[in-house]
C-alpha cells in the first residue's frame, strides 16, 4: 500500500446559488462521518450569501474556492475521489452539459467528468425551468457522461404548505 492509498478519500462539494444551499453543512457533516475529507467549490453567485461561508470553512478546515488560481499558486485541494454538486441549478447543469467552463465550479465539473471521477448531482430547479427542452437535453447528456442524479427538488410542497427536505445525503449514496 502506498502513502497515497492510505490518505482518506477527498470529496469536492460544488455549491450553486439556490436557497437550499444554506444547508450544505449537513452534506459536509454526513461526508465527514463517512470518512471523507471535504473541499468546497462555490459558484460566484453562491458566494453572495446563499450559505454561511465562514461556517463551511471552519467545518472543512479549508478555504472555499470560487475563483481560478494563478498558475504559480499551489493546488489548495488534492485531486478528488468523487464530486457532488448540490444544489445543482438550472444554469450550472446547462453550462456543464454544454462544456461552458466559465467559472471554477463548472470548469471543475467538466474536468472531473473527463477524468472519470464519480459525480453525483442533486438538482434544485423550479418546475417551469425543468420543463425547458434545453434542461431535459442537458440531463440526458450528463447521464450519458456517467453523472448520477438524485431526485429533483422543485416547487412541489409537502401538502401542508411546506417543502420537502433537500436530500443531501443521497448524493453520498450515489458516489459511494
Amino acid at each position: 500500500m502506498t502513502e497515497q492509498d492510505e490518505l482518506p478519500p477527498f470529496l469536492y462539494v460544488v455549491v450553486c446559488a439556490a436557497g437550499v444551499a444554506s444547508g450544505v453543512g449537513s452534506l459536509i457533516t454526513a461526508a465527514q462521518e463517512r470518512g471523507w475529507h471535504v473541499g468546497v467549490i462555490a459558484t460566484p453567485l453562491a458566494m453572495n450569501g446563499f450559505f454561511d461561508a465562514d461556517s463551511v470553512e471552519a467545518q472543512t478546515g479549508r478555504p472555499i474556492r470560487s475563483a481560478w488560481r494563478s498558475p504559480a499558486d499551489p493546488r489548495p485541494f488534492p485531486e478528488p475521489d468523487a464530486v457532488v454538486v448540490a444544489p445543482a441549478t438550472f444554469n450550472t447543469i446547462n453550462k456543464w452539459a454544454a462544456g461552458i467552463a466559465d467559472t471554477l465550479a463548472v470548469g471543475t465539473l467538466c474536468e472531473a467528468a473527463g477524468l472519470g471521477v464519480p459525480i453525483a448531482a442533486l438538482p434544485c430547479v423550479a418546475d417551469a425551468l425543468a420543463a425547458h427542452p434545453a434542461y431535459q437535453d442537458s440531463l440526458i447528456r450528463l447521464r450519458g457522461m456517467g453523472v448520477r442524479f438524485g431526485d429533483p427538488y422543485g416547487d412541489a410542497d409537502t401538502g401542508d404548505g411546506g417543502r420537502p427536505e433537500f436530500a443531501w445525503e443521497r448524493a453520498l449514496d450515489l458516489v459511494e
Side-chain angles (χ1 to χ4, degrees):
M1 186 174 257
T2 67
E3 184 178 320
Q4 179 68 25
D5 293 331
E6 296 173 17
L7 294 175
F10 200 88
L11 178 69
Y12 286 9
V13 173
V14 176
V15 182
C16 301
V20 297
S22 62
V24 72
S26 298
L27 172 60
I28 296 166
T29 297
Q32 291 170 331
E33 288 173 352
R34 294 185 188 196
W36 292 92
H37 283 200
V38 179
V40 174
I41 300 168
T43 64
L45 286 175
M47 293 297 295
N48 292 330
F50 281 87
F51 65 98
D52 185 338
D54 292 336
S55 291
V56 165
E57 287 183 349
Q59 192 175 10
T60 63
R62 299 175 188 279
I64 296 168
R65 298 193 59 212
S66 66
W68 302 101
R69 65 180 176 83
S70 72
D73 292 337
R75 291 184 175 269
F77 300 158
E79 295 298 318
D81 294 291
V83 178
V84 166
V85 54
T89 60
F90 177 84
N91 194 42
T92 295
I93 288 170
N94 286 324
K95 288 195 307 182
W96 178 18
I100 301 171
D102 63 343
T103 65
L104 176 63
V106 180
T108 298
L109 294 170
C110 290
E111 184 177 76
L115 293 171
V117 174
I119 304 172
L122 298 181
C124 183
V125 176
D127 294 344
L129 292 174
H132 193 285
Y135 179 75
Q136 295 301 316
D137 291 346
S138 293
L139 294 177
I140 291 166
R141 175 173 278 178
L142 292 171
R143 283 187 180 107
M145 293 166 45
V147 176
R148 304 161 191 169
F149 283 90
D151 292 334
Y153 183 86
D155 301 314
D157 68 35
T158 57
D160 60 3
R163 291 182 73 182
E165 292 290 320
F166 192 69
W168 294 105
E169 288 192 51
R170 177 69 177 125
L172 298 173
D173 297 338
L174 291 168
V175 295
E176 292 181 331

